Amino acid sequence: MTRTYLVTGSASGIGKVTAAALSERGHHVIGVDLKNADIEADLSTAEGRHELVRRASELSGGVLHGVLAVAGLVIPRPVTVAVNHYGAVATLEGLRPLLAAAENPRAAVVSSLAALEEVDDRLLDIIETGSEADAIAYADTLGATANATGSSVLYTTSKRSVARWVRRTASTDDWARAGIALNAVAPGVILTPMTAAALETEEGRAALDAGAPAPFGGPAADPVAVANLLAWLTSEENLYVTGQIIFVDGGAESIRRPDLV
């Protein structure tokens, strides 16, 4: 059966590879990005999110079988929080009525292995209990603040918050009891233009391995590894998986948290 999917961040990286993987499987894919996409929208803004929902309704005919919130940023600026958390949640919630109209609807969002790193607890609390305006204002005060590993706390916090949102939301009446599976994937080191330079040197590979050891298939994975998992999670073959944060990391998370069950 041909299904209709919407993929944010479709113009590059994991989003582009995921959109291609779904198309190769014979499905109709609606891509969303700032440019070079079926829907051009800035998910850091309320206007962009509204445009996404409006155009998605038009292009899908009111029915979406799968929504994949892949778009994300790593830059140490408040816009990272706006896209990684609020943009992703707005995408999933805004398109939920189109999913509810489909047969075997599924949804997924991309978190990160970096969500296990140190976060800013106050920012996390504001995201979960306060307003977006307050969260962005506080994020602005943090600027380029990094944690002990050198990761931007804006990135790690926004990736943890969206993963926690999935855990708390997936089993609710609006999602699980409506027949919509909702999951997250958490990639480790993925081969992208940002990691390619580091992977070319022994020192770079050692640094990546220190933060995200990947004995299975490491030190970095092709984006297709994430795309294939996203495609399965949002397929009709996923009959019983929801509310999960699935690490695509070559074993890094299990090394870091061996006793977690």
Side-chain angles (χ1 to χ4, degrees):
M1 170 187 172
T2 299
R3 290 161 63 83
T4 299
Y5 290 87
L6 181 140
V7 180
T8 69
S10 63
S12 63
I14 293 172
K16 183 176 182 178
V17 175
T18 301
L22 292 169
S23 294
E24 289 168 3
R25 288 164 167 78
H27 301 303
H28 175 220
V29 179
I30 300 170
V32 181
D33 216 308
L34 288 171
K35 58 183 180 180
N36 301 322
D38 302 299
I39 300 174
E40 296 185 348
D42 182 353
L43 298 182
S44 71
T45 68
E47 294 78 13
R49 298 164 194 166
H50 175 78
E51 178 68 5
L52 164 63
V53 174
R54 185 185 71 81
R55 291 285 290 137
S57 298
E58 293 176 353
L59 295 176
S60 69
V63 177
L64 283 173
H65 298 90
V67 173
L68 298 92
V70 183
L73 297 173
V74 298
I75 58 175
R77 289 167 41 199
V79 69
T80 293
V81 176
V83 172
N84 292 0
H85 181 90
Y86 294 103
V89 171
T91 295
L92 294 163
E93 289 287 12
L95 299 177
R96 182 165 48 80
L98 305 188
L99 288 167
E103 183 177 355
N104 298 316
R106 308 285 184 258
V109 63
V110 174
S111 179
S112 173
L113 177 68
L116 300 184
E117 304 290 352
E118 178 187 352
V119 304
D120 186 279
D121 291 331
R122 182 180 174 191
L123 177 59
L124 184 62
D125 180 65
I126 296 173
I127 290 173
E128 295 183 338
T129 65
S131 69
E132 179 175 358
D134 288 342
I136 298 305
Y138 177 66
D140 192 42
T141 70
L142 294 174
T145 301
N147 58 29
T149 68
S151 301
S152 163
V153 296
L154 300 184
Y155 179 73
T156 59
T157 305
S158 61
K159 286 300 187 180
R160 185 181 297 185
S161 65
V162 79
R164 282 165 57 133
W165 177 83
V166 168
R167 294 287 287 173
R168 295 168 177 174
T169 303
S171 62
T172 62
D173 290 350
D174 287 340
W175 290 90
R177 294 194 182 281
I180 310 171
L182 172 64
N183 292 285
V185 300
V189 179
I190 305 300
L191 182 57
T192 67
M194 288 186 296
T195 61
L199 289 167
E200 290 177 354
T201 68
E202 184 176 343
E203 294 80 4
R205 291 191 295 272
L208 292 174
D209 186 65
F216 178 66
D222 189 287
V224 74
V226 184
N228 286 342
L229 179 57
L230 286 168
W232 184 85
L233 285 171
T234 54
S235 74
E236 294 177 289
E237 294 180 1
N238 175 12
L239 300 177
Y240 210 46
V241 179
T242 197
Q244 301 304 303
I245 313 301
I246 303 176
F247 290 84
V248 193
D249 62 5
E253 185 268 343
S254 65
I255 290 172
R256 295 184 56 164
R257 308 192 296 182
D259 299 324
L260 183 66
V261 295

